[in-house]
Amino acid sequence: MSDVLQIRIEMKELESNLVQLEADLEPLQIKFNQLLNREIREEIQLAGVLSPASLNEEKLEILDSIKRHNPMLAMYDSEMSAYEQQPKWQNSTDGPCSVQE
């Protein structure tokens, strides 16, 4: 019986959340249309599938250069390689440093 009541309460909460989200949607749509200099009530059309942007050769070279020369990325790469080089037993409780009872 308590499970049924709990489910009903959850359903009411979810219905309430849905009503709130629908109420929040209209002002956001109006703001979006204003940013695009369109009529505020104009319907927003969304594509079913978004395709990734394609970059030309020059932009790909710049992106490659950024990846190679970025100090933060180099730091993360070195941290990852150090982590990968740690012995597997260091992360388990069966290693030589574990306490045996």
Side-chain angles (χ1 to χ4, degrees):
M1 183 70 167
S2 65
D3 291 339
V4 173
L5 291 175
Q6 185 177 1
I7 290 172
R8 286 184 182 169
I9 291 171
E10 279 186 47
M11 286 179 61
K12 288 294 182 187
E13 287 177 9
L14 291 172
E15 289 171 357
S16 174
N17 286 345
L18 183 59
V19 168
Q20 184 62 47
L21 289 171
E22 289 172 348
D24 292 344
L25 180 61
E26 186 178 2
L28 293 172
Q29 287 177 329
I30 290 171
K31 181 67 176 172
F32 183 74
N33 282 329
Q34 286 175 337
L35 289 170
L36 296 176
N37 293 323
R38 302 187 324 184
E39 293 293 322
I40 60 173
R41 301 281 182 216
E42 190 171 332
E43 186 178 344
I44 298 171
Q45 299 287 328
L46 298 177
V49 176
L50 297 177
S51 58
S54 60
L55 299 176
N56 61 25
E57 190 74 25
E58 182 182 330
K59 289 183 181 180
L60 287 172
E61 288 175 13
I62 292 171
L63 182 60
D64 231 18
S65 173
I66 290 171
K67 287 179 181 176
R68 277 181 294 174
H69 297 97
N70 187 314
M72 290 302 291
L73 291 177
M75 181 186 75
Y76 292 138
D77 284 342
S78 65
E79 285 180 4
M80 280 301 297
S81 62
Y83 177 76
E84 289 169 357
Q85 291 176 4
Q86 288 179 349
K88 298 290 184 209
W89 55 263
Q90 225 174 10
N91 295 330
S92 70
T93 57
D94 297 332
C97 295
S98 64
V99 177
Q100 301 289 328
E101 291 183 29

